[in-house]
Amino acid sequence: MRDFITRRARLLLPAMAIVAMLAAVACGGDDDEEPTPAAEATAPASQATSAASPATTAPAAAYPVKVTDLLGRQVEIKAKPTTIVALSPTATELVYAAGGKVAGRTSSVDYPEAAKAAKDIGTAYQPNFEAILALKPDLIVADSVIHAQPNLRQPIEQLPVPVIFAGADSYQHVLDGLTLMGKVLDAKTATDKVIADITKARDEAKAAIAGKQISAVALIADRDNTLYAAKDASYAGDILKQLGITNPAAAQPDAGPFPGYTTLAAEKLVEFNPDFIFAITPAPPPAPRLASLIPTIPPFRGLKAVTQNHVVDAEVQIFLQAPGPRIIEAFKVVANAVKGSSN
Amino acid sequence: MKLTVEDVRLGYNGRVVVDGVSFAVEPGEMVSIVGPNGSGKSTLLRGMSRLQKPMSGRVLLDATDIRAMSARQVARNLAILTQSPDAGPDLTVRELVFRGRYPHQGILQRVTAADIEAVEWAMAAADTAQFATRPLGSLSGGERQRAWIALALAQQPRVLLLDEPTSFLDISHQVEVMHLLRRLNHEGMTVVAVLHDLVLAARFSDRVIAMRSGRVEFDGPPRQVLEPVGLERVFGVPMMILTDPESGLPIPLPRPDPALCPAAHSEPAADSPRASGV
Amino acid sequence: MTGMAAPKAREGGALARRSAFRSFNRPATVFIVGAIVLCGLAFASLMYGAITLSVGQAWSGLTSESDLFARNVVWQIRFPRVVDAMLVGASLAAAGALLQGVTRNPLADPTILGVTAASGLASAAVIVANPQVPQWGIAMACAAGGLGGAGILYVIAWRGAVSPVRLALAGVALSAFFGAAIVGLLSSSRTFLQTSLGFLAGGMYGSEWRDFRAMLPYAAPGLIGAFLLAGRLNVLALGDDVAAGLGVLTDRTRLLILGVVGILTAAAVSVAGLVSFVGLVCPHLARYSVGHDNRLLIPVAALYGAILVSGADLAARLVISPSEVPMGIITAGIGAPFLLYLVRFRE
């Protein structure tokens, strides 16, 4: 059964694109139609993007606006969305960063405080479509990282509500997501400010560390206490990379079930002997923090990071589960940890 | 319908169990196949139906090789009842007998008037109508065997093959079954039965075929072939033949070892336990 | 003897009349009542979920476009899901009935005998190899796996005599082997991990029309084949010799039946993952209702399967709404105690 709205929408898009282009050419001769580099690099490496999408931001007419989301999908936003459902922590935080609010959010979301009041529509990996539709949203913000699989992506796309996919597993994605939200919610000023704050935080953190040759790994452990280290393709790994920190695990082969992480045998960690260990604990308290467990594990007792007390508890929301504007805090945590050392 | 066995060899895994047997069964005959364990009688019977494929030789129904006919076609003309069939205790007699109509039914397995008629006839002929709705598990040995015979009859065959239909039955049930087979035979059914009981074979068949080590040792009317020399050759024990005073038919009995079973008119030997009054 | 026969005949006649009456009425009643229950359950599935639609809303959502919200909820989400659930249940139950008949073992079902796991392994392998594989590709892989599993079962179990013990052992071994392979695959896969619980326990989250379209080419011929093979299965149940004597080609029929089992299982696994117990429980319930004749047993079992799975799926969606429990947990929750009851009181 086809959904009539989206089918008509898909027919309308090319027509409106042509009309919009003609209008832009006719109305605004010297408008800057060159999209910013950050906005045009929206698609992640694995998705091809069409280079022919114009940024139709003649200041006077914010809507309808055609955007390219982080899965390379062209979506048309006809009017400013008022009832938004966000399908992941990242999506939620992006909406709020653009000055919006959500009517529905996933179960684990507890930041910002205002989002807690929104309706629980299921987990990020199993959003409940009925609950979503019951809120009668005019925009769904799904997660380009979590919902990329066809078995999740297709049901979401079939819903009769415009969907944009915005998620992050890198610093650049956070910026792209903010730019996208800025366009979608007509909040470019707000999002530009957040982007500026993030860039500033990164630069400051980078400067604080400059000159020191630091090596660090970001670790998580699963239920069996198998260790996984972040590589560059992961969010935590990208954070380290942005700050110019050497990640010895970056050269490891992909291994294990977590994308962007590699299974790290104990011997490897001893071999790497990084200056810093950022330990992420996915399980909530009262599960013991990985950062306090690592020094107690016999092979690790002699590590530099352990003896010099450089094993840092990295909060799971900031470093793993809710990539987004709070990357600022991530940069601060890393910078503070490193600044304190005399290396 | 004439059933012809033409130089048939049967075996398992390269071992030959029936070695070149030929004979023909005329329509309306009742034939018993006898012989010691391992002589190949059951295998021969299976080879005469489509249950076992001969290594060489043919089996013909009238003039057609049964291997050239489809399995259903053969089943419409020839029914075989193997030893101790088991269908579980829950099936009722009527349900069982209905399954005998399979060779006559089409792909949709509809129950036709012909099917119902055939089932009623089969159950009446095998005298099972009074327990038609009882489950098999609740029947006595003889009743159950009659139910299975009714199943075979529901196929409306012209030839009926049975493998030891009276084993494990007590005397009254043995008699029941043999009387039923004889009655069917008198009504025109060709019957070939493997029997282990020579007395029943003598009483109830027109013809007895004896097998030993995969070959036919003798083949002919009971009065003619059931004689001590031939029987001893087949069974390897000394045999004696009594004659039934009423019918004149032979009653074969194993001749006992005189040392263990003294003759009726002689005194017990002096040093035997009975003599010392133990 | 003859003196005894007369009163027995009278009693037998009365008994025959009573049970003839019962058996005449029974199947029709069972079908009608079952169909009513199924329709009621299906409609309830349209009404209830994370949000509740009233009867009127569900009906208008089903039949008209006046209430767009209800229509979307019904046609986009709930209706395809309940249709998928019914087809999954019918397929698994029919497969279980066929297996119990062909193996003469009341403890047989596609999961216990490893066919479900074989199908699941193929599905997992294909998804891990290509995460973007379309649903019809998954269904095809499941079919290959299901047929492969059924084939291995045939080879292992039908050399020489089939003893229920031997078959059960073979099934347990296959099930364990394939199950371990699935877990191994999942633990190294980067794409599957998060949704694997629904797959491993059996769940219908996200089922929609494309799943129905992908599974129909396997479920439909499978169900039709199961119904057509019922008569032959009846005869096969009497034993190989008797069946051959009645004109059934026993080996070929068994292969055919196992093939049908393979594609029915595949249809179900491609949509719902590793669901257990449906194929075990439903044929037994059907046997209590309409007896041993497979021509009635198999359709009734399929009906009960549709009811069981759509009911379990409804419960799965309601228990911890808006989150979902994998539906297979509920079928196991019903099936396992039933199995224990069988073992304790019936065999």
Side-chain angles (χ1 to χ4, degrees):
Chain A
M1 285 300 143
R2 295 281 173 257
D3 177 77
F4 296 90
I5 294 181
T6 44
R7 194 168 67 180
R8 286 184 197 127
R10 285 180 190 158
L11 284 172
L12 279 170
L13 276 175
M16 300 222 56
I18 294 171
V19 167
M21 269 168 59
L22 291 174
V25 165
C27 299
D30 53 355
D31 267 324
D32 184 11
E33 286 198 310
E34 201 64 39
T36 63
E40 255 339 86
T42 48
S46 58
Q47 308 283 343
T49 184
S50 143
S53 69
T56 57
T57 47
Y63 295 101
V65 63
K66 200 160 89 103
V67 300
T68 308
D69 73 6
L70 297 197
L71 284 183
R73 294 164 65 256
Q74 309 272 14
V75 186
E76 199 210 17
I77 311 293
K78 297 198 183 128
K80 178 160 178 164
T82 52
T83 316
I84 304 177
V85 174
L87 300 190
S88 75
T90 303
T92 311
E93 294 187 28
L94 286 175
V95 169
Y96 278 91
K101 63 177 173 40
V102 300
R105 45 101 185 150
T106 54
S107 313
S108 64
V109 166
D110 58 5
Y111 182 91
E113 193 67 31
K116 284 209 245 182
K119 190 117 185 355
D120 179 349
I121 51 95
T123 63
Y125 283 94
Q126 278 203 346
N128 188 309
F129 304 119
E130 299 166 3
I132 295 172
L133 285 185
L135 296 170
K136 303 208 177 18
D138 49 19
L139 177 69
I140 294 176
V141 184
D143 193 304
S144 54
V145 172
I146 294 176
H147 302 126
Q149 303 308 311
N151 65 321
L152 285 171
R153 178 176 164 171
Q154 279 177 15
I156 294 173
E157 285 179 318
Q158 304 272 34
L159 294 172
V161 179
V163 182
I164 61 167
F165 287 81
D169 54 10
S170 71
Y171 164 80
Q172 187 57 51
H173 282 167
V174 176
L175 300 183
D176 297 339
L178 284 166
T179 313
L180 174 63
M181 282 324 301
K183 276 197 231 167
V184 168
L185 292 180
D186 190 25
K188 195 162 182 304
T189 335
T191 55
D192 281 350
K193 174 163 189 320
V194 178
I195 290 175
D197 288 341
I198 292 175
T199 321
K200 178 160 159 257
R202 179 191 72 151
D203 294 339
E204 282 176 2
K206 202 164 168 186
I209 300 175
K212 310 181 184 179
Q213 304 293 347
I214 305 288
S215 69
V217 294
L219 296 180
I220 53 176
D222 65 12
R223 273 188 316 259
D224 305 321
N225 289 328
T226 310
L227 289 176
Y228 302 90
K231 297 178 57 177
D232 287 351
S234 68
Y235 185 64
D238 194 54
I239 290 174
L240 295 178
K241 183 163 160 223
Q242 291 290 325
L243 298 183
I245 295 176
T246 313
N247 181 354
Q252 291 300 299
D254 284 338
F258 302 107
Y261 284 77
T262 177
T263 316
L264 195 69
E267 307 91 330
K268 275 282 173 206
L269 184 56
V270 172
E271 181 196 319
F272 294 155
N273 205 3
D275 299 313
F276 286 86
I277 294 177
F278 294 95
I280 306 168
T281 313
R289 304 290 96 192
L290 184 60
S292 44
L293 280 178
I294 285 185
T296 66
I297 298 173
F300 302 149
R301 292 219 180 105
L303 291 177
K304 266 192 279 182
V306 172
T307 56
Q308 294 169 15
N309 208 10
H310 286 157
V311 180
V312 181
D313 182 32
E315 202 198 313
V316 64
Q317 292 246 330
I318 308 293
F319 281 85
L320 185 65
Q321 287 177 353
R326 287 194 276 175
I327 195 173
I328 295 178
E329 290 181 40
F331 288 139
K332 289 196 183 137
V333 163
V334 175
N336 287 343
V338 173
K339 264 196 293 196
S341 85
S342 54
N343 184 6
Chain B
M1 212 169 206
K2 181 168 169 176
L3 183 63
T4 315
V5 177
E6 225 178 67
D7 202 20
V8 159
R9 282 173 81 232
L10 293 155
Y12 308 94
N13 301 329
R15 187 169 63 93
V16 177
V17 174
V18 171
D19 196 2
V21 166
S22 298
F23 58 87
V25 178
E26 299 300 326
E29 270 196 302
M30 182 149 170
V31 178
S32 302
I33 304 182
V34 302
N37 287 344
S39 54
K41 350 187 258 294
S42 289
T43 312
L44 174 62
L45 202 74
R46 293 168 69 90
M48 285 162 75
S49 71
R50 277 178 64 119
L51 254 50
Q52 185 134 351
K53 191 168 172 195
M55 294 159 83
S56 66
R58 314 190 290 167
V59 176
L60 306 169
L61 265 183
D62 282 338
T64 324
D65 187 345
I66 60 173
R67 291 268 146 201
M69 300 159 73
S70 77
R72 274 197 209 223
Q73 229 180 325
V74 173
R76 285 198 281 268
N77 294 296
L78 185 154
I80 175 165
L81 182 56
T82 49
Q83 282 192 51
S84 313
D86 178 21
D90 299 319
L91 211 55
T92 68
V93 172
R94 176 171 265 115
E95 284 174 344
L96 177 70
V97 177
F98 253 106
R99 301 209 177 161
R101 293 302 297 162
Y102 176 80
H104 297 271
Q105 289 179 327
I107 187 96
L108 286 178
Q109 309 132 34
R110 300 286 201 78
V111 175
T112 63
D115 291 333
I116 299 179
E117 203 183 301
V119 166
E120 294 300 325
W121 168 79
M123 290 209 293
D127 205 18
T128 61
Q130 65 265 38
F131 45 82
T133 55
R134 284 181 39 206
L136 288 175
S138 71
L139 301 177
S140 73
E143 289 170 336
R144 195 161 37 238
Q145 193 69 311
R146 275 160 41 205
W148 282 100
I149 292 175
L151 166 74
L153 292 180
Q155 290 171 247
Q156 292 175 312
R158 325 267 205 90
V159 179
L160 188 57
L161 307 178
L162 305 108
D163 193 350
E164 305 218 15
T166 57
S167 304
F168 313 119
L169 295 183
D170 62 26
I171 273 202
S172 65
H173 294 141
Q174 285 183 16
V175 168
E176 234 178 272
V177 170
M178 292 311 295
H179 278 165
L180 168 60
L181 293 177
R182 208 24 157 169
R183 210 168 49 238
L184 291 168
N185 176 246
H186 283 157
E187 288 167 9
M189 181 83 72
T190 310
V191 177
V192 179
V194 167
L195 293 174
H196 69 275
D197 188 326
L198 292 173
V199 177
L200 292 178
R203 275 265 165 96
F204 290 101
S205 2
D206 301 322
R207 192 169 141 201
V208 178
I209 298 178
M211 290 194 62
R212 186 175 78 98
S213 306
R215 300 206 164 171
V216 172
E217 284 294 331
F218 58 71
D219 176 358
R223 276 178 234 255
Q224 192 183 316
V225 297
L226 294 179
E227 45 80 29
V229 175
L231 284 173
E232 183 168 347
R233 200 170 62 236
V234 171
F235 288 97
V237 286
M239 298 288 275
M240 62 194 235
I241 307 290
L242 304 180
T243 308
D244 178 355
E246 286 176 20
S247 61
L249 288 170
I251 302 176
L253 292 173
R255 185 183 290 279
D257 182 341
L260 298 173
C261 304
H265 60 269
S266 65
E267 294 295 321
D271 57 357
S272 75
R274 289 184 74 210
S276 41
V278 170
Chain C
M1 233 359 200
T2 44
M4 294 278 291
K8 248 191 176 175
R10 261 204 301 279
E11 182 189 274
L15 202 66
R17 273 198 302 280
R18 237 181 294 137
S19 57
F21 172 75
R22 220 186 300 137
S23 62
F24 170 72
N25 250 347
R26 251 300 184 61
T29 319
V30 165
F31 273 115
I32 292 173
V33 171
I36 292 176
V37 169
L38 187 62
C39 288
L41 209 48
F43 197 74
S45 299
L46 298 183
M47 285 172 57
Y48 295 106
I51 47 133
T52 304
L53 296 177
S54 71
V55 173
Q57 277 177 304
W59 182 252
S60 80
L62 188 60
T63 52
S64 76
E65 294 191 36
S66 52
D67 181 351
L68 262 183
F69 166 68
R71 180 156 186 96
N72 283 324
V73 168
V74 168
W75 276 95
Q76 290 282 71
I77 302 174
R78 292 182 181 172
F79 193 32
R81 183 154 168 167
V82 75
V83 167
D84 286 341
M86 295 195 308
L87 207 49
V88 164
S91 301
L92 285 174
L98 286 175
L99 276 178
Q100 288 180 11
V102 80
T103 62
R104 313 228 272 165
N105 184 346
L107 293 182
D109 93 341
T111 307
I112 292 178
L113 295 183
V115 183
T116 305
S119 215
L121 178 60
S123 170
V126 137
I127 294 179
V128 165
N130 173 15
Q132 306 296 326
V133 65
Q135 189 64 25
W136 60 260
I138 295 178
M140 203 153 50
C142 282
L147 288 172
I152 294 179
L153 194 63
Y154 178 82
V155 167
I156 291 180
W158 268 285
R159 284 295 157 83
V162 184
S163 84
V165 172
R166 207 167 130 177
L167 185 69
L169 285 176
V172 166
L174 285 177
S175 195
F177 177 76
F178 291 130
I182 293 176
V183 173
L185 205 56
L186 292 184
S187 61
S188 66
S189 139
R190 332 200 106 231
T191 59
F192 213 4
L193 191 65
Q194 303 293 351
T195 49
S196 57
L197 188 62
F199 172 78
L200 285 174
M204 303 211 41
Y205 175 79
S207 298
E208 40 160 27
W209 292 114
R210 98 197 118 104
D211 301 284
F212 176 73
R213 283 192 298 269
M215 113 165 114
L216 201 59
Y218 302 99
L223 285 171
I224 294 174
F227 299 153
L228 289 178
L229 283 170
R232 253 178 274 195
L233 191 57
N234 276 347
V235 175
L236 208 54
L238 300 176
D240 266 22
D241 282 346
V242 178
L246 284 172
V248 170
L249 297 165
T250 51
D251 275 343
R252 195 177 302 181
T253 303
R254 261 197 292 267
L255 273 175
L256 209 54
I257 290 177
L258 284 177
V260 169
V261 166
I263 60 172
L264 282 174
T265 310
V269 170
S270 71
V271 170
L274 309 179
V275 183
S276 54
F277 289 107
V278 177
L280 178 67
V281 169
C282 295
H284 281 276
L285 289 173
R287 216 166 282 129
Y288 293 152
S289 306
V290 292
H292 291 262
D293 186 345
N294 284 296
R295 289 170 299 181
L296 290 173
L297 177 69
I298 293 180
V300 171
L303 180 62
Y304 286 175
I307 292 175
L308 177 61
V309 172
S310 40
D313 193 46
L314 180 60
R317 288 189 292 123
L318 293 179
V319 162
I320 52 168
S321 183
S323 292
E324 291 184 15
V325 167
M327 174 262 297
I329 289 182
I330 303 201
T331 61
I334 298 175
F338 181 77
L339 183 55
L340 290 175
Y341 160 76
L342 267 188
V343 168
R344 172 71 181 83
F345 291 106
R346 293 284 298 183
E347 295 291 320

PDB file of all heavy atoms in Angstrom, chain C residues 30-43:
ATOM      1  N   VAL C  30     -15.052 -26.192  14.311  1.00  0.00           N
ATOM      2  CA  VAL C  30     -13.709 -25.715  14.609  1.00  0.00           C
ATOM      3  C   VAL C  30     -13.292 -24.618  13.639  1.00  0.00           C
ATOM      4  O   VAL C  30     -12.777 -23.570  14.044  1.00  0.00           O
ATOM      5  CB  VAL C  30     -12.700 -26.887  14.552  1.00  0.00           C
ATOM      6  CG1 VAL C  30     -11.273 -26.376  14.499  1.00  0.00           C
ATOM      7  CG2 VAL C  30     -12.887 -27.792  15.746  1.00  0.00           C
ATOM      8  N   PHE C  31     -13.542 -24.852  12.358  1.00  0.00           N
ATOM      9  CA  PHE C  31     -13.148 -23.848  11.374  1.00  0.00           C
ATOM     10  C   PHE C  31     -13.877 -22.541  11.583  1.00  0.00           C
ATOM     11  O   PHE C  31     -13.302 -21.459  11.535  1.00  0.00           O
ATOM     12  CB  PHE C  31     -13.430 -24.361   9.945  1.00  0.00           C
ATOM     13  CG  PHE C  31     -12.305 -25.152   9.379  1.00  0.00           C
ATOM     14  CD1 PHE C  31     -12.452 -26.492   9.096  1.00  0.00           C
ATOM     15  CD2 PHE C  31     -11.077 -24.546   9.124  1.00  0.00           C
ATOM     16  CE1 PHE C  31     -11.401 -27.228   8.580  1.00  0.00           C
ATOM     17  CE2 PHE C  31     -10.026 -25.273   8.609  1.00  0.00           C
ATOM     18  CZ  PHE C  31     -10.184 -26.625   8.339  1.00  0.00           C
ATOM     19  N   ILE C  32     -15.195 -22.658  11.821  1.00  0.00           N
ATOM     20  CA  ILE C  32     -15.976 -21.424  11.943  1.00  0.00           C
ATOM     21  C   ILE C  32     -15.554 -20.655  13.189  1.00  0.00           C
ATOM     22  O   ILE C  32     -15.280 -19.448  13.131  1.00  0.00           O
ATOM     23  CB  ILE C  32     -17.488 -21.753  11.987  1.00  0.00           C
ATOM     24  CG1 ILE C  32     -17.907 -22.291  10.617  1.00  0.00           C
ATOM     25  CG2 ILE C  32     -18.289 -20.529  12.359  1.00  0.00           C
ATOM     26  CD1 ILE C  32     -19.319 -22.797  10.585  1.00  0.00           C
ATOM     27  N   VAL C  33     -15.486 -21.374  14.317  1.00  0.00           N
ATOM     28  CA  VAL C  33     -15.100 -20.689  15.548  1.00  0.00           C
ATOM     29  C   VAL C  33     -13.699 -20.116  15.412  1.00  0.00           C
ATOM     30  O   VAL C  33     -13.419 -18.980  15.802  1.00  0.00           O
ATOM     31  CB  VAL C  33     -15.181 -21.661  16.752  1.00  0.00           C
ATOM     32  CG1 VAL C  33     -14.581 -21.021  17.985  1.00  0.00           C
ATOM     33  CG2 VAL C  33     -16.615 -22.075  17.003  1.00  0.00           C
ATOM     34  N   GLY C  34     -12.811 -20.911  14.835  1.00  0.00           N
ATOM     35  CA  GLY C  34     -11.439 -20.439  14.665  1.00  0.00           C
ATOM     36  C   GLY C  34     -11.374 -19.190  13.802  1.00  0.00           C
ATOM     37  O   GLY C  34     -10.647 -18.245  14.115  1.00  0.00           O
ATOM     38  N   ALA C  35     -12.124 -19.184  12.719  1.00  0.00           N
ATOM     39  CA  ALA C  35     -12.097 -18.027  11.832  1.00  0.00           C
ATOM     40  C   ALA C  35     -12.619 -16.793  12.562  1.00  0.00           C
ATOM     41  O   ALA C  35     -12.085 -15.687  12.403  1.00  0.00           O
ATOM     42  CB  ALA C  35     -12.915 -18.303  10.580  1.00  0.00           C
ATOM     43  N   ILE C  36     -13.664 -16.999  13.367  1.00  0.00           N
ATOM     44  CA  ILE C  36     -14.208 -15.863  14.110  1.00  0.00           C
ATOM     45  C   ILE C  36     -13.172 -15.330  15.089  1.00  0.00           C
ATOM     46  O   ILE C  36     -12.944 -14.112  15.184  1.00  0.00           O
ATOM     47  CB  ILE C  36     -15.493 -16.285  14.866  1.00  0.00           C
ATOM     48  CG1 ILE C  36     -16.596 -16.590  13.857  1.00  0.00           C
ATOM     49  CG2 ILE C  36     -15.937 -15.196  15.826  1.00  0.00           C
ATOM     50  CD1 ILE C  36     -17.865 -17.112  14.486  1.00  0.00           C
ATOM     51  N   VAL C  37     -12.532 -16.241  15.819  1.00  0.00           N
ATOM     52  CA  VAL C  37     -11.507 -15.804  16.772  1.00  0.00           C
ATOM     53  C   VAL C  37     -10.397 -15.059  16.049  1.00  0.00           C
ATOM     54  O   VAL C  37      -9.918 -14.011  16.505  1.00  0.00           O
ATOM     55  CB  VAL C  37     -10.929 -17.023  17.531  1.00  0.00           C
ATOM     56  CG1 VAL C  37      -9.691 -16.630  18.317  1.00  0.00           C
ATOM     57  CG2 VAL C  37     -11.980 -17.626  18.448  1.00  0.00           C
ATOM     58  N   LEU C  38      -9.992 -15.600  14.903  1.00  0.00           N
ATOM     59  CA  LEU C  38      -8.893 -14.966  14.163  1.00  0.00           C
ATOM     60  C   LEU C  38      -9.278 -13.563  13.723  1.00  0.00           C
ATOM     61  O   LEU C  38      -8.499 -12.623  13.861  1.00  0.00           O
ATOM     62  CB  LEU C  38      -8.525 -15.831  12.958  1.00  0.00           C
ATOM     63  CG  LEU C  38      -7.293 -15.385  12.200  1.00  0.00           C
ATOM     64  CD1 LEU C  38      -6.075 -15.433  13.090  1.00  0.00           C
ATOM     65  CD2 LEU C  38      -7.081 -16.259  10.967  1.00  0.00           C
ATOM     66  N   CYS C  39     -10.488 -13.411  13.198  1.00  0.00           N
ATOM     67  CA  CYS C  39     -10.905 -12.079  12.760  1.00  0.00           C
ATOM     68  C   CYS C  39     -10.980 -11.129  13.933  1.00  0.00           C
ATOM     69  O   CYS C  39     -10.573  -9.963  13.838  1.00  0.00           O
ATOM     70  CB  CYS C  39     -12.270 -12.148  12.067  1.00  0.00           C
ATOM     71  SG  CYS C  39     -12.162 -12.918  10.466  1.00  0.00           S
ATOM     72  N   GLY C  40     -11.499 -11.635  15.059  1.00  0.00           N
ATOM     73  CA  GLY C  40     -11.577 -10.785  16.237  1.00  0.00           C
ATOM     74  C   GLY C  40     -10.201 -10.339  16.688  1.00  0.00           C
ATOM     75  O   GLY C  40      -9.969  -9.166  16.998  1.00  0.00           O
ATOM     76  N   LEU C  41      -9.281 -11.290  16.695  1.00  0.00           N
ATOM     77  CA  LEU C  41      -7.920 -10.976  17.116  1.00  0.00           C
ATOM     78  C   LEU C  41      -7.277  -9.980  16.151  1.00  0.00           C
ATOM     79  O   LEU C  41      -6.589  -9.047  16.559  1.00  0.00           O
ATOM     80  CB  LEU C  41      -7.129 -12.276  17.133  1.00  0.00           C
ATOM     81  CG  LEU C  41      -5.975 -12.412  18.091  1.00  0.00           C
ATOM     82  CD1 LEU C  41      -6.366 -11.984  19.478  1.00  0.00           C
ATOM     83  CD2 LEU C  41      -5.518 -13.862  18.109  1.00  0.00           C
ATOM     84  N   ALA C  42      -7.508 -10.198  14.870  1.00  0.00           N
ATOM     85  CA  ALA C  42      -6.925  -9.290  13.880  1.00  0.00           C
ATOM     86  C   ALA C  42      -7.469  -7.883  14.080  1.00  0.00           C
ATOM     87  O   ALA C  42      -6.720  -6.901  14.046  1.00  0.00           O
ATOM     88  CB  ALA C  42      -7.224  -9.790  12.467  1.00  0.00           C
ATOM     89  N   PHE C  43      -8.771  -7.784  14.314  1.00  0.00           N
ATOM     90  CA  PHE C  43      -9.350  -6.455  14.504  1.00  0.00           C
ATOM     91  C   PHE C  43      -8.828  -5.825  15.792  1.00  0.00           C
ATOM     92  O   PHE C  43      -8.560  -4.626  15.853  1.00  0.00           O
ATOM     93  CB  PHE C  43     -10.878  -6.530  14.508  1.00  0.00           C
ATOM     94  CG  PHE C  43     -11.509  -5.200  14.292  1.00  0.00           C
ATOM     95  CD1 PHE C  43     -11.517  -4.611  13.044  1.00  0.00           C
ATOM     96  CD2 PHE C  43     -12.079  -4.504  15.345  1.00  0.00           C
ATOM     97  CE1 PHE C  43     -12.075  -3.367  12.836  1.00  0.00           C
ATOM     98  CE2 PHE C  43     -12.648  -3.260  15.154  1.00  0.00           C
ATOM     99  CZ  PHE C  43     -12.650  -2.686  13.889  1.00  0.00           C
TER     100      PHE C  43
END
